């Protein structure tokens, strides 16, 4: 199978490595950084450049760009994609990308599927990519139809070389609502938390909880700014909810209210247990 990869950063690079190492795929790729593309070719991860001419040779095209760039790329190249080919985006938000992707797919005769791999690290770039990046991870897809089992099996088969542990299908709206809580809020929290003046004095006084809390503070500001703004309605709702809860803790501490503080802490412990099924 000929696979086209658009974007050779951490995610796109890892996808290219996984398909290439699967043994029977020819990898076409495009990256705005020509030196990175040349390096990927030199290392044998990429076979040929993905161009308007070679797009038509690919049965599967994975777009691993930021949302706005993904939409722009699809609009520019949709006419060159082979009829019947499958295009899957790997963006962190889904509403705008899927709206554009479904419309272009209907117009030009290819299959578009929204996708979001639940994998990554705090590091970025092709140099940090690896073929095992997605192994065992979850993959959220937004298909054009939810009641087409044959279509879902096709998507599962196309993505099988990446080694996902589980595929979940949802709507673009539901995806963005949930991702605001599970991914975007933790990044904002981590990034804000590390701004405490105490952060520069913590050495020798921190352990696992500090590392867990601050790991994703080391993020890509350009990418996350775009994702946050595109999903700002859902993200603001989550932030309002958190601020409301934090005010409860602050009041209990200000009032030196041991019983109320205990209730709040126990409530959080119980909800965590319920959510995780423990």
């Amino acid at each position: 199978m000929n696979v086209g990869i658009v974007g050779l950063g951490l995610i796109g690079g890892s996808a290219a490595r996984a398909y290439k190492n699967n043994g029977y795929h020819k990898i076409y790729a495009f990256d705005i950084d020509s030196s990175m593309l040349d390096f990927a070719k030199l290392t044998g991860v990429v076979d040929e450049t993905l161009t308007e001419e070679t797009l038509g040779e690919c049965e599967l095209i994975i777009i691993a760009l930021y949302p706005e760039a993904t939409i722009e790329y699809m609009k520019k190249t949709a006419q060159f994609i082979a009829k019947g080919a499958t295009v899957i985006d790997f963006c962190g938000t889904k509403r705008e990308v899927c709206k554009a992707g479904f419309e272009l797919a209907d117009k030009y005769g290819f299959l578009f599927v929204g996708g979001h791999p639940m994998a990554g690290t705090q590091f970025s770039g092709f140099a940090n990519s690896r073929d095992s990046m997605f192994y065992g991870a979850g993959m959220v897809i937004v298909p054009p139809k939810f009641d087409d089992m044959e279509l879902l099996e096709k998507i599962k088969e196309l993505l099988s070389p990446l080694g996902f542990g589980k595929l979940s299908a949802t709507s673009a709206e539901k995806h963005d609502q949930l991702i605001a809580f599970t991914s975007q809020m933790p990044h904002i929290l981590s990034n804000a938390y590390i701004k405490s003046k105490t952060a520069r004095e913590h050495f020798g006084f921190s352990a696992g909880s500090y590392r867990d809390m601050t790991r994703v503070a080391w993020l890509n500001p350009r990418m996350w700014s775009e994702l946050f703004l595109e999903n700002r309605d859902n993200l603001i709702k989550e932030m309002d909810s958190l601020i409301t809860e934090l005010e409860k803790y602050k009041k209990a501490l200000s009032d030196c209210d041991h019983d109320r503080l205990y209730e709040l802490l126990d409530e959080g412990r119980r909800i965590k247990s319920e959510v995780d099924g423990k």
Side-chain angles (χ1 to χ4, degrees):
M1 179 172 68
N2 293 338
V3 179
I5 305 291
V6 185
L8 288 173
L10 177 70
I11 298 300
S14 294
R17 291 180 188 278
Y19 279 104
K20 186 63 178 177
N21 290 349
N22 194 254
Y24 56 91
H25 301 294
K26 185 174 182 178
I27 308 301
Y28 295 82
F30 170 79
D31 194 277
I32 195 169
D33 184 347
S34 59
S35 63
M36 182 58 64
L37 180 58
D38 289 341
F39 178 73
K41 287 181 181 178
L42 185 65
T43 57
V45 176
V46 171
D47 296 302
E48 294 185 29
T49 301
L50 186 66
T51 64
E52 293 178 352
E53 290 72 27
T54 56
L55 263 172
E57 300 178 23
C58 297
E59 294 100 311
L60 172 64
I61 299 164
I62 291 175
I63 307 178
L65 303 174
Y66 301 167
E68 289 182 8
T70 294
I71 294 171
E72 182 181 347
Y73 179 84
M74 288 193 295
K75 287 181 176 179
K76 181 180 178 181
T77 62
Q79 60 183 309
F80 303 106
I81 297 172
K83 292 185 182 302
T86 300
V87 177
I88 304 177
D89 86 278
F90 275 15
C91 293
T93 54
K94 296 269 72 78
R95 284 176 290 179
E96 294 302 316
V97 169
C98 285
K99 181 177 182 292
F102 291 145
E103 289 175 356
L104 290 167
D106 286 341
K107 181 177 180 179
Y108 291 102
F110 58 86
L111 170 66
F112 175 81
V113 178
H116 186 182
M118 299 291 101
T121 72
Q122 66 267 44
F123 305 108
S124 60
F126 183 78
N128 293 300
S129 64
R130 59 180 189 271
D131 60 358
S132 60
M133 176 67 68
F134 310 107
Y135 187 78
M139 174 64 171
V140 181
I141 60 169
V142 180
K145 296 180 181 179
F146 289 90
D147 57 352
D148 189 337
M149 294 307 298
E150 185 176 341
L151 171 62
L152 295 177
E153 283 300 317
K154 176 182 179 180
I155 297 169
K156 184 177 180 179
E157 178 62 26
L158 287 171
L159 293 173
S160 61
L162 300 183
F164 288 112
K166 179 182 180 182
L167 265 66
S168 302
T170 188
S171 67
E173 292 73 20
K174 189 65 174 179
H175 169 277
D176 286 1
Q177 176 191 339
L178 292 175
I179 217 67
F181 172 74
T182 62
S183 177
Q184 294 183 341
M185 271 295 287
H187 280 80
I188 283 183
L189 282 170
S190 182
N191 197 263
Y193 176 78
I194 199 65
K195 293 177 182 178
S196 168
K197 293 180 180 179
T198 314
R200 303 183 187 281
E201 304 171 4
H202 81 277
F203 301 101
F205 291 82
S206 59
S209 56
Y210 169 83
R211 289 192 296 271
D212 291 344
M213 187 69 179
T214 59
R215 181 179 67 84
V216 293
W218 195 355
L219 47 67
N220 181 330
R222 179 169 172 246
M223 179 185 76
W224 284 103
S225 293
E226 183 174 332
L227 294 175
F228 291 159
L229 288 170
E230 185 170 321
N231 201 30
R232 62 188 178 277
D233 55 341
N234 289 311
L235 190 50
I236 289 172
K237 288 179 183 177
E238 292 296 338
M239 292 179 74
D240 285 342
S241 175
L242 178 65
I243 290 169
T244 297
E245 291 301 319
L246 286 174
E247 286 293 342
K248 295 177 184 178
Y249 290 86
K250 182 179 179 181
K251 187 176 187 307
L253 289 167
S254 298
D255 295 345
C256 202
D257 189 338
H258 176 278
D259 291 342
R260 180 55 176 152
L261 185 58
Y262 176 91
E263 288 174 1
L264 291 168
L265 294 171
D266 191 54
E267 180 186 33
R269 179 195 62 79
R270 286 188 289 103
I271 292 174
K272 170 65 174 175
S273 180
E274 292 168 7
V275 168
D276 289 357
K278 295 180 180 179

